[in-house]
């Protein structure tokens, strides 16, 4: 008999779609994958070289559970340089990806039944990670006309005396929206008034477009910094998804708790990947800008194409690498004599009939929408947009 926890968890739909698309591709099926939440670029050469050097130098043993000192120092320098935040290495925990950092944060903060406010649309793993750590996800709906952002009033209405934390994800997966200073200040004011932690997932901080700038809520003042746990990592910024390095920064007490939990759960993150992450963070950041520019170009092309198509629309993202497309209007239409019905079926039709992989919105708490990742080449995007258009033209 499985545990209650296990039976409450749905496997990650983003990883499932990605795996299905990769499998179809390996079978020789000509699939256009908009599912993947991972950059399509190779990990930059100088980062790979650092890993090879680490292996050759025999850096292949256990490290301190919460990460090697030089990487923690590098992460502290990064926070100071990029975010104006002063942390000491004792406040930083290096983990096996940002997802693992989030798991550590919830494990360190939550008691059974503690509530965590999650604005919808949300990244698929937040509610599940909260549940895995005995917490209760409280979903706050946001509106497309508010660019899917949570504000003071919808935040305040979700707070109870069990509220322990608020999840903030800017730039946001899946909506691509970025919170401004004023919007962050509103959330900070509420968190401070009610003494609620902020879990700020900043993994897409380097991928912003059109003049949008990432700001960490922790940088709004020492008092809000003390209530914030920042989660970040190298997966998205340096195209290092498979290396599994993420990190969290917080008050020393929380960091020590996360480090203790990790020391039993996984020990240290991979020693070689830590060396590679050190190089990624400390070497020239030109590779990041190159990737960002490519994402920017693809995004503009896709937004333009989609907003010219019937039944679908999307707001322009300011960050990350996803378009969140509202295709609710297709649900009442017929495709080859059968109703499209809902977002899951729409995504299934696109995959089976047009060989286009997308992630339906239900896993993001937004059933009318579907996520299209633009972490694929402009050539694939062009073909994928043609296929989407042909699918929509078939609807009656
Ligand atoms: N947060 C967000 C918003 C994400 O999209 C992802 C995607 N994987 C993660 C965290 C986790 O990243 P990773 O574990 O690869 O560092
Ligand atoms: N975060 C990425 C996504 O949203 C990768 C998959 C995952 O970790 O869920 O697609």
């Amino acid at each position: 008999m499985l545990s209650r926890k296990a039976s409450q968890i749905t496997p990650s739909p983003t990883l499932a779609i990605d795996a299905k698309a990769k499998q179809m591709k390996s079978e020789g099926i000509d699939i256009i994958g908009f599912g993947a939440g991972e950059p399509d670029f190779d990990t930059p050469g100088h980062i790979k070289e650092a890993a090879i050097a680490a292996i050759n130098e025999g850096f292949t043993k256990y490290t301190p559970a919460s990460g090697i000192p030089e990487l923690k120092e590098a992460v502290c320098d990064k926070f100071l340089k990029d975010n104006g935040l002063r942390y000491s290495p004792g406040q930083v925990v290096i983990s096996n990806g940002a997802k693992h950092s989030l798991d550590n944060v919830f494990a360190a903060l939550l008691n059974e039944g503690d509530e965590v406010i999650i604005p919808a649309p949300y990244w698929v793993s937040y509610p599940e990670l909260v549940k895995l750590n005995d917490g209760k996800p409280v979903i706050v709906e946001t509106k497309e006309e508010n660019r899917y952002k949570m504000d003071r009033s919808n935040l305040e209405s979700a707070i109870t005396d069990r509220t322990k934390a608020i999840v903030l994800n800017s730039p946001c997966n899946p909506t691509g929206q970025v919170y401004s200073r004023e919007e962050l200040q509103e959330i900070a004011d509420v968190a401070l008034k009610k003494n609620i932690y902020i879990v700020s997932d900043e993994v897409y901080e380097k991928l912003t477009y059109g003049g949008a700038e990432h700001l960490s809520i922790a940088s709004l003042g020492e008092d809000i910094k003390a209530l914030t746990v920042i989660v970040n990592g190298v997966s998205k910024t340096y195209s290092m998804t498979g290396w599994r390095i993420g990190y969290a920064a917080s008050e020393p007490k929380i960091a020590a708790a996360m480090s203790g939990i990790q020391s039993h759960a996984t020990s240290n993150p991979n020693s070689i990947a830590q060396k590679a992450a050190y190089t990624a963070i400390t070497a020239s950041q030109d590779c990041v800008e190159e990737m960002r520019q490519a994402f920017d170009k693809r995004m503009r092309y896709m937004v333009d194409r989609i907003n010219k198509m019937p039944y679908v629309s999307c707001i322009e993202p300011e960050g990350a690498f996803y378009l969140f497309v509202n295709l609710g209007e297709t649900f009442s239409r017929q495709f080859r004599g059968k109703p499209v019905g809902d977002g899951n079926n729409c995504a299934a039709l696109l995959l089976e009939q047009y060989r286009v992989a997308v992630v339906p919105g239900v896993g993001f708490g937004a059933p009318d929408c579907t996520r299209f990742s633009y972490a694929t080449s402009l050539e694939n995007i062009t073909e994928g947009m043609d296929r989407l258009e042909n699918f929509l033209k078939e609807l009656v």
Side-chain angles (χ1 to χ4, degrees):
M1 182 73 165
L2 291 178
S3 69
R4 192 159 32 88
K5 257 186 206 174
S7 57
Q8 279 176 355
I9 297 301
T10 23
S12 166
T14 47
L15 291 178
I17 301 266
D18 190 38
K20 185 160 184 191
K22 281 177 179 157
Q23 191 206 327
M24 288 172 82
K25 208 169 223 162
S26 75
E27 289 165 5
I29 300 170
D30 153 42
I31 189 115
I32 302 290
F34 290 121
E38 75 177 347
D40 53 316
F41 308 104
D42 198 6
T43 302
H46 65 285
I47 299 175
K48 290 192 207 172
E49 288 303 329
I52 293 164
I55 295 174
N56 288 335
E57 284 157 17
F59 197 73
T60 54
K61 302 287 167 60
Y62 291 134
T63 76
S66 60
I68 52 177
E70 72 207 75
L71 179 54
K72 289 188 184 187
E73 290 278 4
V75 166
C76 293
D77 291 347
K78 176 232 117 47
F79 276 123
L80 191 58
K81 184 161 69 70
D82 295 346
N83 313 102
L85 290 166
R86 206 171 284 281
Y87 288 108
S88 62
Q91 295 179 274
V92 171
V93 177
I94 313 291
S95 300
N96 303 283
K99 196 181 276 188
H100 183 213
S101 301
L102 287 162
D103 193 39
N104 282 337
V105 178
F106 294 131
L109 293 182
L110 301 183
N111 287 314
E112 185 149 10
D114 279 350
E115 294 176 2
V116 178
I117 293 178
I118 302 173
Y122 47 76
W123 177 49
V124 293
S125 291
Y126 297 137
E128 307 307 285
L129 286 169
V130 167
K131 285 192 267 171
L132 277 172
N133 287 289
D134 298 326
K136 183 176 163 213
V138 174
I139 308 301
V140 167
E141 300 295 334
T142 64
K143 294 202 178 85
E144 187 174 339
E145 60 263 35
N146 295 341
R147 302 188 79 84
Y148 297 118
K149 290 185 214 176
M150 175 173 64
D151 60 18
R152 182 192 300 273
S153 70
N154 51 15
L155 175 56
E156 275 178 340
S157 65
I159 291 175
T160 72
D161 53 9
R162 290 306 305 269
T163 308
K164 189 72 180 272
I166 301 163
V167 173
L168 192 68
N169 176 213
S170 177
C172 174
N173 173 6
T175 68
Q177 298 307 305
V178 175
Y179 281 73
S180 68
R181 177 180 292 274
E182 293 69 31
E183 289 161 344
L184 291 173
Q185 190 63 58
E186 270 192 30
I187 292 166
D189 290 346
V190 177
L192 282 167
K193 196 165 100 195
K194 304 277 185 175
N195 201 31
I196 298 170
Y197 288 108
I198 307 247
V199 179
S200 183
D201 180 343
E202 305 182 5
V203 295
Y204 296 100
E205 77 161 323
K206 298 286 183 184
L207 301 175
T208 56
Y209 318 108
E213 265 183 54
H214 164 80
L215 189 68
S216 175
I217 193 164
S219 66
L220 296 180
E222 281 305 314
D223 44 2
I224 191 66
K225 177 171 173 247
L227 278 179
T228 302
V229 184
I230 298 182
V231 171
N232 206 328
V234 297
S235 285
K236 315 292 172 173
T237 309
Y238 304 100
S239 202
M240 289 178 72
T241 44
W243 299 72
R244 311 307 305 133
I245 297 290
Y247 52 87
S250 63
E251 283 298 279
K253 203 168 60 183
I254 303 173
M258 292 194 288
S259 169
I261 291 163
Q262 179 162 304
S263 73
H264 290 294
T266 64
S267 304
N268 60 279
N270 179 300
S271 60
I272 301 150
Q274 288 190 71
K275 286 282 191 180
Y278 171 81
T279 295
I281 294 172
T282 55
S284 158
Q285 302 295 296
D286 290 353
C287 55
V288 182
E289 178 56 15
E290 276 166 34
M291 293 190 264
R292 192 199 66 77
Q293 283 180 13
F295 285 132
D296 192 355
K297 196 166 157 200
R298 297 165 179 185
M299 179 271 285
R300 278 171 211 293
Y301 173 78
M302 257 173 110
V303 170
D304 187 51
R305 285 288 306 266
I306 284 177
N307 284 333
K308 285 183 183 141
M309 293 183 200
Y311 318 127
V312 294
S313 64
C314 67
I315 49 176
E316 188 167 313
E318 300 172 303
F321 41 67
Y322 309 102
L323 286 191
F324 210 44
V325 180
N326 191 328
L327 36 69
E329 263 196 62
T330 64
F331 300 168
S332 57
R333 311 258 151 195
Q334 303 263 321
F335 178 77
R336 299 181 190 167
K338 288 196 188 127
V340 171
D342 62 22
N344 283 343
N345 196 45
C346 189
L349 288 171
L350 275 169
L351 187 64
E352 283 151 23
Q353 306 298 330
Y354 278 93
R355 306 286 186 231
V356 172
V358 296
V359 189
V362 69
F364 302 101
D368 282 354
C369 293
T370 286
R371 193 187 77 176
F372 286 65
S373 157
Y374 45 92
T376 185
S377 69
L378 208 45
E379 197 188 345
N380 282 341
I381 290 173
T382 307
E383 173 63 24
M385 289 295 99
D386 290 347
R387 293 186 193 185
L388 174 67
E389 196 164 14
N390 290 336
F391 166 72
L392 295 171
K393 279 188 191 153
E394 272 208 65
L395 302 183
V396 285

